[in-house]
Amino acid sequence: MSKFWSPFVRDLAPYVPGEQPKMANLVKLNTNEHPQGPSPKVLDAIRAEADDRLRLYPDPRSTALCEAIADYYRIKPEQVFVGNGSDEVLAHIFMGLFRQSRPLLFPDITYSFYKVYCGLYGIDYQTVPLDQDLSIRLTDYDALNGGIIFPNPNAPTGRLLPLADIEALLRRNTESVVVVDEAYIDFGGDSAIALIGRYPNLLVTQTLSKSRSLAGLRIGLAVGDEALIEGLTRIKDSFNSYPLDRLAVAAGKAAFEDDAWFRQGRDRVVEQRGWLIGQLAERGFQTLPSAANFVFTRHPGHSGADLARGLREQGVIVRHFGKPERIADYLRITIGTAGQNQTLVAALDRLL
Ligand SMILES: Cc1ncc(COP(=O)(O)O)c(C=O)c1O
C-alpha cells in the first residue's frame, strides 16, 4: 500500500499465479507446465535468431508466426492474432470485446483470471454454476449477455465439452462474442477452430505454454473471424505494438512446424495421465475425467488442505485452491514425467 496509489489500484484484486519455487529438487506439479522441454528445432530457431538483429524492433504483426499457425490450422493469417501469452490475448479480448452493456457470462468454477480482467476493465459479469458433477452445461448460458467465455477443457476441473455442444450454443447465441479458451485442448479434445468459418462471433484462444512446452517464452493466440482479429489488433496497437519479441516469433513458428515432437510429447502426457488416474483410483481418490495435462482429484478420507501440505513437506507441489467450498477438498495435479508421477504416488502413500 502506498499513498501514491490511485483508488483504482488500491481496489484491484489481482490474479495469484501458482508458485514458482526457487528450491531445487522439488517435484513441481502445480502450474500445468509440460514435463518435457521444447523441440530441439525450437531451440535451434532461437539460437539462429539471437544475433545483431536484436537491435531492431520485431515485426509488429508477428507475420511469420501467424502464417505458421494459419498453415497448421488451414486458415488465413488474417484470422490469427498472437500475444504475449494467452493471458495477454485474453486481456485484449476482455478490454475490446467484452465491455458491453450486458453482463459477461462464465462458469463459477473456472480460470480465475476472468474475474480479475472484469475487475480491471470494469466489466459486469455473471457466473453460471457448474452442474452437480462439475461440468459446464451450455444450455445454462441461454440468457441475454454481453459475451460468453469458458475454457474447454475447463480449468481446474479438466472436464471436456463436445464440439457439438459448443456449436449448438453458437447457433443459439448469435449476438455476442463467444470465446472458447483452449489452453489445454491438445491433450484430449477437438478444437473449435473448425467452426470459425461458420460463426463470425466465435474466438478460440490457445497457448504455447502447455502442449508446446514454451511457458517460459509467453506465446498465446486467438483465432476467429477477420473482423474480430482486426478489433484485437486495434487494441494491441493502442497498448503495445510489438508484444512478441524476435526470439518468441522464431520459436513459436518452429514449434508449429515440428509436429512430430509435439505429438510424442503430448502422447506421453496422455499416457501418464491414464497411469496416474489408475494409481489414484487404487488409493481411493475420486478423480474427474480429464482431457487436460492435469487431474482434479479428492480423497474422501482426507482434506485437500492436509494433502497439499503433506505433499509439500515431501517436496511435491500441487495446486490446492481451497475455495469455493465445493472444490475445497480437490487437488489439481499437473501430469509430470513418469519419475515425478511415481514420486507423487509414493508421497501420497506415506500420507494416506
Ligand atoms: C484456462 C487457461 N487459460 C489461459 C491460461 C494462460 O496461459 P498463458 O498465458 O501461459 O498462455 C491458463 C494458464 O494456466 C489457463 O489455465
Side-chain angles (χ1 to χ4, degrees), residues 214-225:
L214 286 173
L217 270 189
R218 313 299 299 123
I219 309 172
L221 59 113
V223 170
D225 185 74

Side-chain angles (χ1 to χ4, degrees), residues 15 31-32 84-88 90 110-111 113-114 117 151-155 181-184 205-210 214-215 218-221 294 332:
Y15 177 72
T31 48
N32 300 341
N84 232 312
S86 55
D87 281 340
E88 186 184 87
L90 289 168
T110 194
Y111 187 37
F113 228 135
Y114 300 160
Y117 291 135
N152 195 39
N154 194 14
D181 175 349
E182 294 189 346
Y184 302 101
T205 60
Q206 292 190 353
T207 176
L208 279 73
S209 301
K210 315 291 180 182
L214 286 173
R218 313 299 299 123
I219 309 172
L221 59 113
F294 56 84
R332 193 198 66 190

